Amino acid sequence: MGPDEFRRAGHQLVDYIADYQETVRDRPVTPDVRPGYMRRLVPAAPPERPEPWDDVMADIERVIMPGMSHWHSPQFHAYYPVGNSYPALLADMLSDALGCVGIAWASAPACTELEVIMMDWLAQLLQLPEQFMFSSGRGGGGVIQGSACESTLITLLAARSCKVNEFLRASGTVHNEHGDPVVTPDRAALLPKLVAFASDQAHSSVTRASLLSGLRIRTLPSDSNASLRGDTLTKAVEEELRAGNIPFYVLAALGTTASCAYDNLTELGPICERFGLWLHIDAAYAGAACVCPEFRHIIDGIEHATSFNFNPHKFLLTNLDCSALWVRRSRDLTDVFEVNALFLKTPFSEMPSYRHWAIQLSRRFRALKLWFVMRLYGADGLRAHIRRQVKLAKEFEALVRGDDRFEVAAPVTLGLVCFRLKKYGNMINDHLLARINGARRIHMVPAMLPGETYVLRFVVCSRYTESRDVQFAWSEVQKHTDELLSSAEVLGRGKMLWSSVRAASIGLRLFHSWHSV
Amino acid sequence: MGPDEFRRAGHQLVDYIADYQETVRDRPVTPDVRPGYMRRLVPAAPPERPEPWDDVMADIERVIMPGMSHWHSPQFHAYYPVGNSYPALLADMLSDALGCVGIAWASAPACTELEVIMMDWLAQLLQLPEQFMFSSGRGGGGVIQGSACESTLITLLAARSCKVNEFLRASGTVHNEHGDPVVTPDRAALLPKLVAFASDQAHSSVTRASLLSGLRIRTLPSDSNASLRGDTLTKAVEEELRAGNIPFYVLAALGTTASCAYDNLTELGPICERFGLWLHIDAAYAGAACVCPEFRHIIDGIEHATSFNFNPHKFLLTNLDCSALWVRRSRDLTDVFEVNALFLKTPFSEMPSYRHWAIQLSRRFRALKLWFVMRLYGADGLRAHIRRQVKLAKEFEALVRGDDRFEVAAPVTLGLVCFRLKKYGNMINDHLLARINGARRIHMVPAMLPGETYVLRFVVCSRYTESRDVQFAWSEVQKHTDELLSSAEVLGRGKMLWSSVRAASIGLRLFHSWHSV
């Protein structure tokens, strides 16, 4: 494919993309295909000779679209939003065309420099404490990761190294009664004693981080608001210390996956400082709301944090992948990976070598997305987006509250409404969700709240969602509720026919396929 | 930004991208900026109000381009190639616009299904053994990872779990003299005994994988051809066994980072089978050449492998990121991460749940790139690309061999030529590279071969590189060699003035900033 053909194909695809996005509401939000549907649509082997672009273009509708869930449909209310906007699309086109690899400042200076500046811009937008900004000159700064999973894992590993080094350093100064230095404790002997903490509402990626790192993460019970409280943490830390273990890391979730609950940062923060624990904040979804002053209180207590993570690729109109991580001391990260420290003590080290800040060495030019999004929306435009989405969720919440059959199961703080049929058990609620999703006019996934309470999750995801879509979603919920409750299937409170039991649990599976690892 | 403005901006950007790529040879290949150059070009804070697209577009040339290394310039001969092509650019545009997340089959069926089919297509192109293909129905298959780093890490972790489970299972059947089952060996006690192996030429990501996983990786000496041989492995395995340790994993590199050397797979394979070791093949760069029958011998012995990885985003015209990993038994991967096994025993599990195959949960629709590239080039087109690049490297090799002052320091098998001034030491060769790179007309990075032999690496990277560019590169090398050797700076064999010593080591730093972690 030469440049002229690319120009023609590119223009055609730009128009197709605009058409797709502007008319996505007219497509069924989820597909009606069975596993393996594509095998009969695509040859079993690659072609020997080049195919014409028009054939490839035509196959988007023939092969791909029948199997798509339209995550940006205004009827998509599942998971959490995944960012998407025209500015971010344009930035990714440019990033792909430049095709540089930002492994070091010298390998593509613009790639590192724009990331440094954009992370400071973002920090200002969220009113993060100064110590997280490069411009403060205090050793902190931000980096773009691929996902919150990676941010959790890398901070966990950094915290491990810091704590182990702290022990090794401390032990180096200890002398025995004869004045001889005491033998340095074995690093390998320290590792099994390390213990991290997270709430039972933390994302499943925390379990993954534990599996990957081989480090123990102790799950702590959240309170009735699904929030991890200070006294719970204090008790656990003291237990571990008494058992001879070494507490080193706390993951505080702000805006949990299940119900957008918030661990109590103002309680947890001082405890972490008292016991010398790395405090990592996972605000993957909710963090973006801090661009609005009225939501900034969400991260009150952040001044205690060692690291802070949120995903612009969730609630901030930026395409996957763009997960923003700030650390108070960048040395904590780089010390984990930096093997060739000698070679980096060069003038180049005035700029961060971002490959030492991440799991992957290769780095695409992702800062362009943040630059285009922040400039083409402006801070005002981003705030307007967040406020519009929250307002729509509040509208849905009011509809739920206006129907006696339902209850709102968790406080609605941002774009998520957790609700359920209040007189029926989990199975009936799951069955209701299965019916709603089965009709393929809207799409939601469920969650299990503390106390084994099954809820339906309505999330305002798409930037195309409007009041009429909220009203439509609610009319779908009501229609299927009416049918379900009036049908012979429901014999009494909580009882169902076998045929219904079989149909149920699809929603729960969908949720687990997302939430659990 | 509304759809009409996106159409206008998108068309403009498509044309800009075509212009950029077709005229990239006219730009200096590397930038002339100092760290921090961008701070004076970009405001310190994000704008409150949206800015017009034209201002953003204009800033590509004003802010970004002055700080770019042009990785796709025909004068860029550094590192290894990073894939880039018009078909891949188009596919990424579509992927971004669909913006789905392939965490499970159900979350975006087309995303999982196309990946399954494309990994089988690629396996056929490379003539991989049948057991690596989904279509064989034997439990193997392929997955797209972000990088070879991730592929190494995930297979290392999988191998760890397999070996530990093997020990735990075996121990479960052991009974003592009274017929009572022997206590199951503690998992934690097994981990420190595990030992993996890789050659001293393996990529630095192997060290990272060790740091991340906490697992010990023993570095083995390569032979004079930078190849890991069977007897070296056998000796090391037997040593570890005698010491009571548990060998479990071997990383064989095919096409090393430094010199594109090849571990001896036909020797290593049977040894791995004999001792029950997971054999992972890292053919990140070289693997792509197997699309040509004449290069397929590179992976001879692959039938012994447990897993195989190469990066289409290197030598196969596919944009970052797209790292192809195949495993013989997909269960080995999923067992590491699959916590909710109960919920996955559903009809959906007829298709892989790819989030259990990777570090990250979130997955972009990357299979589109492979689909567009394989269709719009055809197998023939991909073969022609590989052959053209190798032919250009051979042309450069002949030029080096035609100059008595130089030697070719490693066999030229694909697109890399390692060469050096043969009568001078490492410092003079490094100084030569610093002069060449300093002129910013071509760009290379160095490597250190076994025996502390410093070499200049000439790699055919860009799809725009032609014979005239190879000739130009050689003329640059000759010009700077003439100047260096005739200048007062070189006082004799291996001696330099202090001013030159200071100027040197820039190249070495560049290499280390890439190769080492």
Side-chain angles (χ1 to χ4, degrees):
Chain A
M1 176 178 268
D4 293 339
E5 203 183 351
F6 170 72
R7 281 174 214 268
R8 186 177 74 84
H11 291 188
Q12 193 182 356
L13 196 55
V14 164
D15 290 337
Y16 178 84
I17 287 168
D19 290 343
Y20 168 71
Q21 298 231 336
E22 299 302 318
T23 62
V24 65
R25 69 165 62 247
D26 303 331
R27 297 177 188 256
V29 62
T30 49
D32 183 23
V33 293
R34 305 280 306 162
Y37 88 92
M38 200 185 281
R39 284 199 197 278
R40 61 182 179 77
L41 301 177
V42 173
E48 279 297 306
R49 304 284 309 150
E51 294 183 42
W53 163 251
D54 290 340
D55 289 4
V56 174
M57 182 75 203
D59 278 353
I60 299 172
E61 285 295 332
R62 188 182 70 88
V63 176
I64 302 299
M65 287 303 177
M68 281 307 296
S69 297
H70 301 288
W71 282 62
H72 306 290
S73 160
Q75 275 78 49
F76 192 88
H77 304 294
Y79 312 105
Y80 270 135
V82 167
N84 195 282
S85 67
Y86 289 132
L89 283 166
L90 293 167
D92 270 349
M93 287 165 63
L94 179 62
S95 168
D96 237 17
L98 296 175
C100 64
V101 188
I103 39 180
W105 180 87
S107 75
C111 186
T112 294
E113 301 225 357
L114 191 66
E115 190 161 332
V116 164
I117 298 172
M118 287 306 105
M119 293 306 288
D120 271 10
W121 276 25
L122 253 190
Q124 290 175 72
L125 263 189
L126 270 66
Q127 299 182 57
L128 297 190
E130 202 190 25
Q131 66 257 31
F132 288 118
M133 299 186 207
F134 289 103
S135 58
S136 78
R138 290 162 60 185
V143 58
I144 300 175
Q145 304 279 350
S147 65
C149 310
E150 284 171 70
S151 298
T152 299
L153 179 59
I154 196 163
T155 54
L156 185 74
L157 292 168
R160 170 204 63 183
S161 297
C162 288
K163 185 57 82 176
V164 168
N165 290 340
E166 186 186 312
F167 264 73
L168 296 182
R169 268 200 309 274
S171 70
T173 65
V174 174
H175 293 74
N176 66 12
E177 50 189 337
H178 308 294
D180 300 326
V182 167
V183 176
T184 304
D186 185 19
R187 194 169 175 281
L190 287 175
L191 293 176
K193 292 183 188 294
L194 294 177
V195 56
F197 304 92
S199 125
D200 54 13
Q201 294 298 301
H203 189 262
S204 60
S205 60
V206 174
T207 313
R208 287 172 82 90
S210 174
L211 283 167
L212 281 160
S213 64
L215 295 163
R216 182 160 71 96
I217 300 182
R218 178 169 163 181
T219 300
L220 302 179
S222 50
D223 70 6
S224 57
N225 289 320
S227 169
L228 177 60
R229 303 299 298 273
D231 47 3
T232 309
L233 177 63
T234 303
K235 192 162 154 280
V237 169
E238 289 176 344
E239 274 173 21
E240 296 291 343
L241 287 170
R242 275 196 302 275
N245 291 322
I246 308 171
F248 75 106
Y249 180 90
V250 174
L251 182 139
L254 298 183
T256 58
T257 317
S259 63
C260 203
Y262 302 85
D263 290 340
N264 194 316
L265 204 55
T266 51
E267 289 179 7
L268 302 177
I271 299 166
C272 290
E273 282 172 2
R274 175 148 59 98
F275 290 104
L277 313 180
W278 181 302
L279 175 59
H280 176 65
I281 299 176
D282 174 2
Y285 165 68
C290 296
V291 302
C292 302
E294 69 270 29
F295 296 122
R296 173 57 176 73
H297 66 87
I298 287 172
I299 57 170
D300 278 356
I302 190 180
E303 61 277 9
H304 303 291
T306 322
S307 52
F308 173 76
N309 172 230
F310 93 97
N311 291 348
H313 73 226
K314 279 201 167 68
F315 204 10
L316 210 60
L317 294 162
T318 309
N319 285 50
L320 260 182
D321 50 348
C322 184
S323 176
L325 172 69
W326 288 269
V327 289
R328 187 188 282 260
R329 294 173 300 272
S330 61
R331 290 289 315 236
D332 292 347
L333 287 191
T334 56
D335 282 355
V336 181
F337 288 125
E338 202 169 313
V339 177
N340 59 330
L342 181 67
F343 287 97
L344 289 164
K345 291 197 175 73
T346 69
F348 296 165
S349 62
E350 291 165 24
M351 278 281 156
S353 283
Y354 272 134
R355 76 193 174 289
H356 296 303
W357 296 49
I359 308 290
Q360 273 187 238
L361 286 167
S362 301
R363 297 180 62 74
R364 285 167 288 122
F365 199 162
R366 292 178 290 200
L368 287 170
K369 286 194 268 209
L370 291 174
W371 199 37
F372 279 32
V373 166
M374 283 192 272
R375 295 182 69 184
L376 293 167
Y377 276 94
D380 265 0
L382 297 175
R383 289 182 200 118
H385 170 72
I386 299 282
R387 286 173 181 146
R388 190 169 50 240
Q389 306 296 87
V390 176
K391 190 170 164 225
L392 290 167
K394 291 287 185 187
E395 179 177 343
F396 190 84
E397 180 191 15
L399 292 168
V400 176
R401 290 196 190 280
D403 186 330
D404 276 350
R405 297 172 297 180
F406 287 93
E407 62 185 354
V408 174
V412 177
T413 57
L414 297 174
L416 166 66
V417 183
C418 292
F419 68 106
R420 67 194 311 277
L421 280 166
K422 62 184 167 192
K423 290 189 185 161
Y424 298 89
N426 290 350
M427 195 64 100
I428 297 285
N429 275 285
D430 189 41
H431 190 52
L432 172 61
L433 181 59
R435 279 176 167 259
I436 293 169
N437 281 339
R440 299 169 53 228
R441 291 159 62 93
I442 66 172
H443 189 59
M444 296 184 284
V445 292
M448 199 68 86
L449 300 194
E452 290 293 296
T453 304
Y454 177 104
V455 296
L456 289 76
R457 289 172 82 263
F458 172 90
V459 189
V460 181
C461 288
S462 166
R463 64 191 164 91
Y464 292 106
T465 305
E466 302 171 4
S467 173
R468 63 172 160 149
D469 301 302
V470 170
Q471 298 290 335
F472 175 76
W474 180 242
S475 73
E476 282 290 296
V477 172
Q478 286 199 304
K479 185 180 83 180
H480 290 287
T481 303
D482 293 344
E483 285 174 16
L484 176 68
L485 297 185
S486 69
S487 78
E489 288 178 358
V490 178
L491 300 175
R493 274 182 67 168
K495 297 200 188 68
M496 296 167 69
L497 289 178
W498 172 237
S499 62
S500 309
V501 176
R502 282 205 323 180
S505 91
I506 290 174
L508 204 56
R509 279 206 308 270
L510 274 174
F511 173 70
H512 273 273
S513 71
W514 161 55
H515 182 258
S516 297
V517 287
Chain B
M1 176 178 268
D4 292 339
E5 202 182 352
F6 170 72
R7 280 174 216 268
R8 185 177 74 84
H11 290 190
Q12 193 183 356
L13 196 55
V14 163
D15 290 337
Y16 178 84
I17 287 168
D19 289 343
Y20 169 71
Q21 300 230 332
E22 298 302 319
T23 62
V24 67
R25 71 163 61 248
D26 303 331
R27 297 177 187 256
V29 62
T30 49
D32 182 23
V33 292
R34 304 281 306 161
Y37 88 93
M38 200 185 281
R39 284 197 198 278
R40 61 181 179 79
L41 301 177
V42 173
E48 279 295 307
R49 306 285 308 153
E51 294 183 41
W53 164 251
D54 290 340
D55 289 2
V56 174
M57 182 77 203
D59 277 353
I60 300 173
E61 284 297 332
R62 188 181 70 89
V63 176
I64 302 299
M65 286 304 176
M68 282 307 296
S69 296
H70 300 288
W71 283 62
H72 306 290
S73 159
Q75 274 79 48
F76 191 88
H77 303 294
Y79 312 104
Y80 270 136
V82 165
N84 194 284
S85 67
Y86 290 132
L89 283 168
L90 294 167
D92 269 349
M93 286 165 62
L94 179 62
S95 169
D96 236 17
L98 295 173
C100 63
V101 188
I103 39 182
W105 179 86
S107 75
C111 185
T112 295
E113 301 224 356
L114 191 66
E115 189 161 334
V116 164
I117 297 171
M118 286 308 103
M119 293 306 289
D120 271 11
W121 275 25
L122 253 191
Q124 289 175 73
L125 263 189
L126 268 67
Q127 298 182 60
L128 297 190
E130 203 191 24
Q131 66 258 30
F132 288 119
M133 299 185 206
F134 289 103
S135 58
S136 77
R138 289 161 61 184
V143 60
I144 299 175
Q145 304 280 351
S147 65
C149 311
E150 285 171 68
S151 298
T152 299
L153 178 59
I154 197 164
T155 54
L156 184 74
L157 292 170
R160 170 204 63 181
S161 297
C162 288
K163 186 55 83 176
V164 168
N165 290 339
E166 187 186 314
F167 264 74
L168 295 182
R169 267 198 311 274
S171 69
T173 64
V174 174
H175 293 74
N176 67 9
E177 49 187 338
H178 308 291
D180 301 325
V182 167
V183 176
T184 304
D186 185 19
R187 193 170 176 281
L190 287 174
L191 292 176
K193 292 182 187 295
L194 293 176
V195 57
F197 304 91
S199 127
D200 54 13
Q201 295 297 303
H203 188 263
S204 61
S205 61
V206 174
T207 312
R208 286 173 82 88
S210 174
L211 282 168
L212 281 163
S213 65
L215 295 163
R216 183 160 71 95
I217 301 182
R218 179 170 163 178
T219 301
L220 302 179
S222 50
D223 71 6
S224 58
N225 288 319
S227 170
L228 177 61
R229 303 297 300 271
D231 46 3
T232 308
L233 177 63
T234 303
K235 190 161 154 283
V237 170
E238 288 175 345
E239 274 173 20
E240 295 291 343
L241 287 171
R242 275 197 301 276
N245 292 323
I246 309 173
F248 76 106
Y249 179 91
V250 174
L251 183 138
L254 297 183
T256 57
T257 316
S259 64
C260 202
Y262 302 86
D263 290 340
N264 194 316
L265 205 56
T266 52
E267 288 179 4
L268 301 177
I271 299 167
C272 291
E273 282 172 1
R274 177 148 59 93
F275 290 105
L277 313 180
W278 181 301
L279 175 58
H280 176 66
I281 299 176
D282 174 3
Y285 164 68
C290 297
V291 303
C292 302
E294 69 271 28
F295 296 121
R296 173 57 175 76
H297 65 87
I298 287 172
I299 58 169
D300 278 357
I302 191 181
E303 60 279 6
H304 302 292
T306 322
S307 52
F308 173 76
N309 173 230
F310 93 98
N311 291 348
H313 74 225
K314 280 203 166 67
F315 205 11
L316 210 61
L317 294 163
T318 308
N319 285 51
L320 260 182
D321 51 347
C322 184
S323 176
L325 172 69
W326 287 269
V327 290
R328 188 189 281 260
R329 293 172 303 271
S330 61
R331 289 292 314 239
D332 291 347
L333 287 191
T334 57
D335 282 355
V336 180
F337 288 125
E338 202 170 311
V339 177
N340 59 330
L342 179 68
F343 287 97
L344 288 164
K345 292 199 174 72
T346 69
F348 297 163
S349 62
E350 289 166 25
M351 277 282 156
S353 282
Y354 271 132
R355 76 192 173 290
H356 296 302
W357 296 49
I359 308 289
Q360 274 188 238
L361 286 166
S362 301
R363 296 178 64 73
R364 284 167 289 122
F365 199 162
R366 292 178 290 201
L368 287 170
K369 287 194 267 210
L370 291 173
W371 199 36
F372 279 31
V373 167
M374 283 192 271
R375 294 181 71 183
L376 292 168
Y377 277 93
D380 266 0
L382 296 174
R383 289 183 201 116
H385 169 72
I386 300 282
R387 285 171 183 148
R388 190 168 51 238
Q389 307 295 88
V390 176
K391 190 172 164 225
L392 291 167
K394 292 284 184 191
E395 180 176 342
F396 189 86
E397 180 191 14
L399 293 168
V400 176
R401 290 194 189 283
D403 186 330
D404 276 349
R405 299 171 296 179
F406 287 93
E407 64 185 351
V408 174
V412 177
T413 58
L414 297 174
L416 166 67
V417 183
C418 292
F419 69 106
R420 65 194 313 276
L421 281 165
K422 62 186 168 192
K423 289 188 187 161
Y424 298 88
N426 290 350
M427 196 64 101
I428 298 284
N429 275 286
D430 188 41
H431 190 52
L432 172 61
L433 181 59
R435 280 177 166 263
I436 294 169
N437 283 339
R440 299 168 54 227
R441 291 159 64 90
I442 66 170
H443 189 58
M444 296 186 284
V445 291
M448 200 66 87
L449 300 195
E452 291 293 297
T453 306
Y454 178 103
V455 296
L456 290 76
R457 291 171 80 261
F458 173 89
V459 189
V460 181
C461 288
S462 166
R463 64 192 165 89
Y464 292 105
T465 305
E466 301 171 6
S467 174
R468 61 172 161 146
D469 301 302
V470 170
Q471 298 291 335
F472 175 76
W474 180 242
S475 72
E476 282 290 298
V477 171
Q478 287 198 306
K479 185 179 84 183
H480 290 287
T481 303
D482 293 345
E483 285 175 16
L484 177 69
L485 297 185
S486 68
S487 76
E489 289 180 357
V490 178
L491 302 176
R493 273 181 66 169
K495 295 201 188 70
M496 296 167 70
L497 288 178
W498 172 238
S499 63
S500 308
V501 175
R502 280 206 324 180
S505 92
I506 290 175
L508 203 57
R509 279 207 306 272
L510 275 175
F511 172 69
H512 273 271
S513 72
W514 162 55
H515 180 261
S516 296
V517 288

